[in-house]
Amino acid sequence: MRQATRIAALSIAILVAAAACSSSPSPSPSGAPSGAAATPSSTASALPSTSPSAAPTATPAPTATPTHTAAPTPAPVRHEYVLYRASVNVTGGFKPSIWVVKADGTGRHKIADGFDEPMASPPTHQIDAAWSHDGSVLHVITYSVSSNASTYCTPQIKNYPIDGGAAHTVAATLTNHDDNFIWSPDGTKIIFRHWNGQPNCVQNIVDPSTDLMMMNADGSNRHTIISGVTYWITAWTADGTGLIAVDPDTARAMSVNPTNGDSIFIGPLAASYPAVSPDGTGVAFVDSNRLHVANADGTGVIDLGAASATDFEPAWSGDGTYIAVERTVGTTNKVVVLHLPSPTATTVYSGTATINPTIIWSPDKAKVAFSLVGNTIRVSKANGSGTLSLASTTGGVVLSWQP
């Protein structure tokens, strides 16, 4: 029995050896302890292990790096801002400033301050501003205050991005005899005037003649177009090929060639409060207290006045199809809108307060803005359906609407 057990224990080694030769199995090895239970041969370690292999360790998926989503950039504001000038009293005078406010009364903020002005200062030398052609920039002109006659009232031009950012000073060589800066419709040129013989930039007293000047928008290439003229420029034509001017002696509108300064009168001789259409082909004016329109050469006159009314300060819409005008009937002051060529007027404002001379149109011709003396700026729908008084704008005078 013990012999059989020993043979079974050695069967593993015999199987391995059989692979190498065909001889009969060898007798069991000697030296085994007598009477002891047989133990498996160490040769058994050559057998492959039947223990299950450990499951492979799963490789963890990489952790995604969190990404930062940038805040959306606010859309630029266009066609919404009304540009206006206001002032506050200071010791011995006032401080003017330039502001903008949206037509719904929101977004009101100051763009720039002018210098403190004595009450005797010429009113044209406070602070002025104009929009760039695309409405993205405000061109602001300030006039310095100095005890030095050679530098008093010297203008400086700064460009303020309306959507935010630092102002940029235009590197122009200007003197205290320069003013009336008007940008071309494409924003590349600035037309202005240079006064001759004016002490301390007091105007129209010593010598009313001026030189019509031009420079690039960056201040380079300053040059004289024509010398010794008395008219002043009020606007470029919409296509940038001509200039509109006013003759101070006759108060008539003029068409001026920006290349050589040649000029011709626009409209009838009796015209007052002339306003030339944006394309330069027509003119609105007041004759015998009544609003009229005509072709630029004075032909085709149409009477748009009203009975027992006195008209002032007509203003064209940007496309030349509408006119807004101040109209006084008795003690009532109105702003009315006319769709040309009809004389039918839509009243958009009516009250007893005095209306400041400037009326401005929104680019979509849906609204007009104006200001009341000592009161707030008003925005009226051109169809007469409502007027909004803009809070905190008391004393402001409208200048222009954002393109």
Side-chain angles (χ1 to χ4, degrees), residues 296-313:
D297 62 3
T299 63
V301 176
I302 301 174
D303 185 347
L304 300 175
S308 303
T310 300
D311 294 328
F312 308 90
E313 305 288 352

PDB file of all heavy atoms in Angstrom, residues 296-313:
ATOM      1  N   ALA A 296     -32.495 123.858 -54.457  1.00  0.00           N
ATOM      2  CA  ALA A 296     -31.314 124.618 -54.038  1.00  0.00           C
ATOM      3  C   ALA A 296     -31.115 125.880 -54.867  1.00  0.00           C
ATOM      4  O   ALA A 296     -30.563 126.870 -54.370  1.00  0.00           O
ATOM      5  CB  ALA A 296     -30.078 123.733 -54.114  1.00  0.00           C
ATOM      6  N   ASP A 297     -31.570 125.886 -56.128  1.00  0.00           N
ATOM      7  CA  ASP A 297     -31.394 127.062 -56.971  1.00  0.00           C
ATOM      8  C   ASP A 297     -32.517 128.084 -56.785  1.00  0.00           C
ATOM      9  O   ASP A 297     -32.578 129.096 -57.493  1.00  0.00           O
ATOM     10  CB  ASP A 297     -31.286 126.655 -58.441  1.00  0.00           C
ATOM     11  CG  ASP A 297     -32.541 125.960 -58.968  1.00  0.00           C
ATOM     12  OD1 ASP A 297     -33.531 125.830 -58.209  1.00  0.00           O
ATOM     13  OD2 ASP A 297     -32.532 125.521 -60.138  1.00  0.00           O
ATOM     14  N   GLY A 298     -33.441 127.822 -55.820  1.00  0.00           N
ATOM     15  CA  GLY A 298     -34.509 128.771 -55.522  1.00  0.00           C
ATOM     16  C   GLY A 298     -35.793 128.522 -56.271  1.00  0.00           C
ATOM     17  O   GLY A 298     -36.798 129.190 -56.005  1.00  0.00           O
ATOM     18  N   THR A 299     -35.810 127.548 -57.157  1.00  0.00           N
ATOM     19  CA  THR A 299     -37.031 127.243 -57.909  1.00  0.00           C
ATOM     20  C   THR A 299     -37.896 126.249 -57.128  1.00  0.00           C
ATOM     21  O   THR A 299     -37.449 125.624 -56.164  1.00  0.00           O
ATOM     22  CB  THR A 299     -36.686 126.651 -59.279  1.00  0.00           C
ATOM     23  OG1 THR A 299     -36.004 125.398 -59.100  1.00  0.00           O
ATOM     24  CG2 THR A 299     -35.810 127.601 -60.066  1.00  0.00           C
ATOM     25  N   GLY A 300     -39.153 126.108 -57.604  1.00  0.00           N
ATOM     26  CA  GLY A 300     -40.039 125.092 -57.027  1.00  0.00           C
ATOM     27  C   GLY A 300     -40.431 125.350 -55.592  1.00  0.00           C
ATOM     28  O   GLY A 300     -40.533 124.418 -54.781  1.00  0.00           O
ATOM     29  N   VAL A 301     -40.680 126.625 -55.242  1.00  0.00           N
ATOM     30  CA  VAL A 301     -41.005 126.979 -53.852  1.00  0.00           C
ATOM     31  C   VAL A 301     -42.376 126.427 -53.461  1.00  0.00           C
ATOM     32  O   VAL A 301     -43.348 126.554 -54.205  1.00  0.00           O
ATOM     33  CB  VAL A 301     -40.981 128.507 -53.670  1.00  0.00           C
ATOM     34  CG1 VAL A 301     -41.418 128.867 -52.251  1.00  0.00           C
ATOM     35  CG2 VAL A 301     -39.598 129.060 -53.962  1.00  0.00           C
ATOM     36  N   ILE A 302     -42.441 125.797 -52.278  1.00  0.00           N
ATOM     37  CA  ILE A 302     -43.696 125.278 -51.734  1.00  0.00           C
ATOM     38  C   ILE A 302     -43.914 125.899 -50.352  1.00  0.00           C
ATOM     39  O   ILE A 302     -43.030 125.853 -49.495  1.00  0.00           O
ATOM     40  CB  ILE A 302     -43.673 123.741 -51.612  1.00  0.00           C
ATOM     41  CG1 ILE A 302     -43.432 123.084 -52.975  1.00  0.00           C
ATOM     42  CG2 ILE A 302     -44.977 123.229 -51.004  1.00  0.00           C
ATOM     43  CD1 ILE A 302     -43.254 121.579 -52.894  1.00  0.00           C
ATOM     44  N   ASP A 303     -45.087 126.471 -50.137  1.00  0.00           N
ATOM     45  CA  ASP A 303     -45.449 127.072 -48.855  1.00  0.00           C
ATOM     46  C   ASP A 303     -46.034 125.984 -47.954  1.00  0.00           C
ATOM     47  O   ASP A 303     -47.046 125.360 -48.284  1.00  0.00           O
ATOM     48  CB  ASP A 303     -46.472 128.182 -49.083  1.00  0.00           C
ATOM     49  CG  ASP A 303     -46.823 128.938 -47.804  1.00  0.00           C
ATOM     50  OD1 ASP A 303     -46.469 128.460 -46.713  1.00  0.00           O
ATOM     51  OD2 ASP A 303     -47.451 130.008 -47.910  1.00  0.00           O
ATOM     52  N   LEU A 304     -45.399 125.754 -46.798  1.00  0.00           N
ATOM     53  CA  LEU A 304     -45.852 124.736 -45.855  1.00  0.00           C
ATOM     54  C   LEU A 304     -46.300 125.366 -44.531  1.00  0.00           C
ATOM     55  O   LEU A 304     -46.429 124.668 -43.526  1.00  0.00           O
ATOM     56  CB  LEU A 304     -44.729 123.726 -45.583  1.00  0.00           C
ATOM     57  CG  LEU A 304     -44.209 122.957 -46.803  1.00  0.00           C
ATOM     58  CD1 LEU A 304     -43.014 122.092 -46.410  1.00  0.00           C
ATOM     59  CD2 LEU A 304     -45.311 122.097 -47.402  1.00  0.00           C
ATOM     60  N   GLY A 305     -46.541 126.680 -44.534  1.00  0.00           N
ATOM     61  CA  GLY A 305     -46.915 127.376 -43.314  1.00  0.00           C
ATOM     62  C   GLY A 305     -48.351 127.120 -42.902  1.00  0.00           C
ATOM     63  O   GLY A 305     -49.128 126.471 -43.618  1.00  0.00           O
ATOM     64  N   ALA A 306     -48.697 127.638 -41.729  1.00  0.00           N
ATOM     65  CA  ALA A 306     -50.052 127.496 -41.189  1.00  0.00           C
ATOM     66  C   ALA A 306     -50.584 128.865 -40.820  1.00  0.00           C
ATOM     67  O   ALA A 306     -49.831 129.779 -40.483  1.00  0.00           O
ATOM     68  CB  ALA A 306     -50.053 126.582 -39.970  1.00  0.00           C
ATOM     69  N   ALA A 307     -51.904 129.017 -40.875  1.00  0.00           N
ATOM     70  CA  ALA A 307     -52.536 130.296 -40.562  1.00  0.00           C
ATOM     71  C   ALA A 307     -52.263 130.699 -39.118  1.00  0.00           C
ATOM     72  O   ALA A 307     -52.288 129.860 -38.206  1.00  0.00           O
ATOM     73  CB  ALA A 307     -54.043 130.199 -40.810  1.00  0.00           C
ATOM     74  N   SER A 308     -51.976 131.984 -38.921  1.00  0.00           N
ATOM     75  CA  SER A 308     -51.770 132.574 -37.594  1.00  0.00           C
ATOM     76  C   SER A 308     -50.628 131.920 -36.825  1.00  0.00           C
ATOM     77  O   SER A 308     -50.607 131.933 -35.596  1.00  0.00           O
ATOM     78  CB  SER A 308     -53.063 132.486 -36.757  1.00  0.00           C
ATOM     79  OG  SER A 308     -54.139 133.117 -37.427  1.00  0.00           O
ATOM     80  N   ALA A 309     -49.672 131.332 -37.542  1.00  0.00           N
ATOM     81  CA  ALA A 309     -48.539 130.665 -36.892  1.00  0.00           C
ATOM     82  C   ALA A 309     -47.236 131.313 -37.337  1.00  0.00           C
ATOM     83  O   ALA A 309     -47.131 131.873 -38.432  1.00  0.00           O
ATOM     84  CB  ALA A 309     -48.527 129.183 -37.225  1.00  0.00           C
ATOM     85  N   THR A 310     -46.227 131.209 -36.473  1.00  0.00           N
ATOM     86  CA  THR A 310     -44.879 131.675 -36.797  1.00  0.00           C
ATOM     87  C   THR A 310     -43.916 130.496 -36.679  1.00  0.00           C
ATOM     88  O   THR A 310     -43.886 129.823 -35.633  1.00  0.00           O
ATOM     89  CB  THR A 310     -44.431 132.795 -35.838  1.00  0.00           C
ATOM     90  OG1 THR A 310     -45.341 133.900 -35.951  1.00  0.00           O
ATOM     91  CG2 THR A 310     -43.032 133.268 -36.173  1.00  0.00           C
ATOM     92  N   ASP A 311     -43.154 130.246 -37.749  1.00  0.00           N
ATOM     93  CA  ASP A 311     -42.267 129.091 -37.794  1.00  0.00           C
ATOM     94  C   ASP A 311     -40.814 129.493 -37.565  1.00  0.00           C
ATOM     95  O   ASP A 311     -40.387 130.601 -37.946  1.00  0.00           O
ATOM     96  CB  ASP A 311     -42.392 128.383 -39.152  1.00  0.00           C
ATOM     97  CG  ASP A 311     -43.769 127.764 -39.364  1.00  0.00           C
ATOM     98  OD1 ASP A 311     -44.381 127.343 -38.361  1.00  0.00           O
ATOM     99  OD2 ASP A 311     -44.230 127.699 -40.524  1.00  0.00           O
ATOM    100  N   PHE A 312     -40.054 128.567 -36.952  1.00  0.00           N
ATOM    101  CA  PHE A 312     -38.629 128.792 -36.681  1.00  0.00           C
ATOM    102  C   PHE A 312     -37.852 127.486 -36.887  1.00  0.00           C
ATOM    103  O   PHE A 312     -38.394 126.399 -36.677  1.00  0.00           O
ATOM    104  CB  PHE A 312     -38.391 129.234 -35.218  1.00  0.00           C
ATOM    105  CG  PHE A 312     -39.215 130.386 -34.751  1.00  0.00           C
ATOM    106  CD1 PHE A 312     -40.449 130.190 -34.156  1.00  0.00           C
ATOM    107  CD2 PHE A 312     -38.736 131.693 -34.875  1.00  0.00           C
ATOM    108  CE1 PHE A 312     -41.196 131.264 -33.697  1.00  0.00           C
ATOM    109  CE2 PHE A 312     -39.480 132.767 -34.431  1.00  0.00           C
ATOM    110  CZ  PHE A 312     -40.714 132.551 -33.834  1.00  0.00           C
ATOM    111  N   GLU A 313     -36.607 127.598 -37.233  1.00  0.00           N
ATOM    112  CA  GLU A 313     -35.612 126.533 -37.147  1.00  0.00           C
ATOM    113  C   GLU A 313     -36.048 125.183 -37.726  1.00  0.00           C
ATOM    114  O   GLU A 313     -36.161 124.177 -37.015  1.00  0.00           O
ATOM    115  CB  GLU A 313     -35.190 126.328 -35.688  1.00  0.00           C
ATOM    116  CG  GLU A 313     -34.692 127.582 -34.991  1.00  0.00           C
ATOM    117  CD  GLU A 313     -33.316 128.025 -35.484  1.00  0.00           C
ATOM    118  OE1 GLU A 313     -32.680 127.276 -36.248  1.00  0.00           O
ATOM    119  OE2 GLU A 313     -32.887 129.134 -35.102  1.00  0.00           O
TER     120      GLU A 313
END
